[in-house]
Amino acid sequence: MELKAPQINLIYNRRKTASPTRKAAVEVRITHNYKQKYISTGVMLYLILIFLVPILFL
């Protein structure tokens, strides 16, 4: 049996609550053997909408 290392990811807005006026949590997701565990970092951020406008070279 081969032991695999757990995967660790940062997740923002997991519960889809962020908006420009409402904060959402940044969490750490640890996945191991198809099980997931979420741990809060205590960091809360607002949603920032950035629209990238392509620059056209004529």
Side-chain angles (χ1 to χ4, degrees):
M1 186 167 150
E2 185 177 327
L3 292 177
K4 293 185 179 181
Q7 290 184 344
I8 300 173
N9 302 94
L10 284 176
I11 305 295
Y12 168 67
N13 198 18
R14 174 171 67 110
R15 296 184 178 146
K16 309 292 189 260
T17 59
S19 72
T21 59
R22 188 170 173 167
K23 296 178 184 178
V26 176
E27 300 171 320
V28 175
R29 179 176 65 193
I30 302 171
T31 306
H32 185 64
N33 291 338
Y34 302 103
K35 294 180 183 177
Q36 295 180 356
K37 178 75 175 179
Y38 292 92
I39 300 172
S40 177
T41 61
V43 176
M44 301 289 283
L45 299 173
Y46 290 104
L47 178 66
I48 299 174
L49 299 175
I50 300 174
F51 297 101
L52 299 176
V53 179
I55 299 172
L56 300 175
F57 295 100
L58 299 175

